[in-house]
Amino acid sequence: MLVNTYDIFGDYYVITVASLGEGQWRGRGLEIPDNRFLDVMQLASSLARGKEEERRKRIEKTKKIEGILRILPLSGNDKKPFEQALSCLNIPTQSTISEILGKANPDMAKKECQKVSAPSFVKPEMYEYGKYPGYRGSTKVEVKVDPVYLVVAVAGWVISRLGEAMISNSDRVGIHLFPVSVDRQFSVLPSLVKDSPLIPGFYPSTAFLLWLAYQMVSRKAEIRSGINIYTVSDAGGQSPTTVVGGFTTSVERLLENKIFRDEQAYAVEAVTREALRYDSGKRDYAIRISNLLYEVLMGSRRSEELMYFANRELLSINLTKSKEDKRLYEMMSMLALKIAEV
């Protein structure tokens, strides 16, 4: 089946689906083999069902669930065109995301549906403070998309959604991972996002990439091609989805390092968690040593520099007889020694 694209942020979601479904560009659209399209939709439905169950358990602890539980955040203005698209595709408008994706099939592309106004989750760059790198469009442009495009974008949203992270006392962002092109196979991405652990934060990016590399190795979901990483502020009430930040990178160089497969790899997760947590009491130290660790593993600094810094900080804690918990300092000293040996 052929899915049209529109040169908007939502194309990232469609490209993610096409990458998993062995799709190829056909003009301005992406053609995905029917059987592979069904496989990806069922996979996305299964992932969505797991996320819905997690959300349901969290909500039940605090209050009674009222209405439909939908994991895709939509603003008040998003709901009408979203439901219009579902109606034309003969999908009940009160369906959950897992039910919507479970009903998706190649025959949808044959239905004669009018285009609908694009919900904000597929055009977050169209809003103030939401420009992604390289975007030069107008915030005044109204975008209309095919209903099929929306359903495929929803699947891509589910598959690419690594999770949410707190970046301040009140600000939370969603984090998405996308392939840089459709021919980059992201077959392991679902294994990475399934039951994803709580993401401790997103800044600094060096600590996040170290944390991400650790998660990839521990979950046997290593992505060695380029990755587009974006953070978004989700829609809610009358507030639309907006892009907070993003960059293109690769963690292949990190994944090649044996330290992530060593028994002391847990130290990488421990220090990056402290560096990413905005409310951590050890954040200053964790950021400094995470930055240095990243540079050493990327080959731009010598391992001796990491060992010197880690040991100096541990010695300082010991000499001052500080009551501060020394476990993180001790772990990093041991990790630095292991890296120097490797």
Side-chain angles (χ1 to χ4, degrees):
M1 65 175 290
L2 182 68
V3 183
N4 295 321
T5 55
Y6 297 90
D7 292 328
I8 57 177
F9 189 84
D11 291 357
Y12 282 127
Y13 298 125
V14 177
I15 288 171
T16 300
V17 170
S19 176
L20 267 66
E22 301 174 5
Q24 296 181 347
W25 286 105
R26 289 288 182 269
R28 290 177 55 85
L30 283 159
E31 189 171 57
I32 308 171
D34 288 357
N35 61 329
R36 295 295 294 124
F37 176 79
L38 279 173
D39 291 342
V40 178
M41 290 298 108
Q42 292 304 311
L43 171 63
S45 177
S46 177
L47 287 174
R49 194 174 304 111
K51 294 177 185 293
E52 288 164 355
E53 186 59 31
E54 291 175 10
R55 181 74 61 85
R56 182 176 290 105
K57 289 179 180 178
R58 288 199 301 268
I59 294 176
E60 286 176 344
K61 291 180 180 179
T62 57
K63 61 182 179 179
K64 182 179 178 180
I65 298 177
E66 297 181 0
I68 183 172
L69 189 153
R70 192 170 276 164
I71 58 172
L72 173 66
L74 297 172
S75 71
N77 292 331
D78 291 338
K79 292 178 181 178
K80 183 177 179 179
F82 189 77
E83 291 179 354
Q84 287 175 337
L86 296 180
S87 294
C88 184
L89 297 174
N90 294 328
I91 299 175
T93 57
Q94 295 302 303
S95 301
T96 63
I97 296 301
S98 62
E99 291 169 342
I100 292 170
L101 299 178
K103 290 176 169 43
N105 60 74
D107 291 336
M108 294 190 310
K110 301 175 184 178
K111 294 185 179 295
E112 295 183 2
C113 291
Q114 291 187 340
K115 293 181 179 180
V116 299
S117 296
S120 63
F121 83 95
V122 296
K123 59 171 186 179
E125 75 275 25
M126 300 287 181
Y127 298 94
E128 190 176 9
Y129 309 122
K131 311 293 190 299
Y132 62 76
Y135 175 74
R136 295 188 296 274
S138 167
T139 58
K140 303 297 184 181
V141 176
E142 181 181 9
V143 179
K144 289 184 176 290
V145 298
D146 296 324
V148 170
Y149 177 89
L150 275 189
V151 173
V152 178
V154 169
W157 185 94
V158 171
I159 294 170
S160 66
R161 180 83 163 192
L162 183 64
E164 297 180 351
M166 292 294 295
I167 57 174
S168 72
N169 226 3
S170 57
D171 294 327
R172 182 189 297 271
V173 295
I175 300 177
H176 290 265
L177 308 182
F178 303 111
V180 294
S181 63
V182 71
D183 60 346
R184 300 295 182 181
Q185 295 301 313
F186 258 40
S187 58
V188 298
L189 183 58
S191 298
L192 184 62
V193 303
K194 183 180 180 181
D195 303 323
S196 177
L198 179 65
I199 304 174
F202 189 71
Y203 306 107
S205 57
T206 49
F208 176 78
L209 292 177
L210 286 169
W211 178 88
L212 182 61
Y214 174 84
Q215 297 298 329
M216 286 183 180
V217 173
S218 62
R219 291 169 176 271
K220 296 180 173 56
E222 299 177 28
I223 299 175
R224 293 180 175 268
S225 61
I227 309 171
N228 287 317
I229 302 178
Y230 280 102
T231 57
V232 298
S233 176
D234 290 325
Q238 295 306 308
S239 299
T241 303
T242 56
V243 174
V244 177
F247 55 89
T248 301
T249 188
S250 171
V251 294
E252 182 177 12
R253 186 75 177 268
L254 294 176
L255 295 174
E256 289 175 349
N257 198 289
K258 296 179 181 179
I259 198 62
F260 287 98
R261 292 160 182 80
D262 188 86
E263 60 183 9
Q264 292 184 23
Y266 65 89
V268 177
E269 199 275 344
V271 74
T272 53
R273 183 169 293 277
E274 294 298 322
L276 293 168
R277 281 180 49 209
Y278 72 92
D279 58 349
S280 170
K282 297 185 179 70
R283 194 178 189 201
D284 287 344
Y285 163 77
I287 287 177
R288 290 168 65 192
I289 200 165
S290 290
N291 287 339
L292 185 53
L293 174 61
Y294 179 84
E295 292 179 293
V296 169
L297 295 182
M298 292 296 287
S300 60
R301 299 284 284 271
R302 296 182 303 157
S303 60
E304 289 81 3
E305 294 180 69
L306 175 65
M307 188 164 59
Y308 171 77
F309 177 79
N311 289 338
R312 186 190 69 187
E313 294 299 305
L314 177 59
L315 180 61
S316 176
I317 291 290
N318 288 331
L319 289 178
T320 58
K321 297 182 180 179
S322 171
K323 294 182 180 180
E324 185 176 354
D325 189 344
K326 297 186 293 184
R327 284 176 295 180
L328 185 63
Y329 296 85
E330 292 169 342
M331 282 193 296
M332 293 312 298
S333 178
M334 294 174 62
L335 181 67
L337 177 60
K338 174 64 70 172
I339 291 174
E341 291 175 348
V342 173

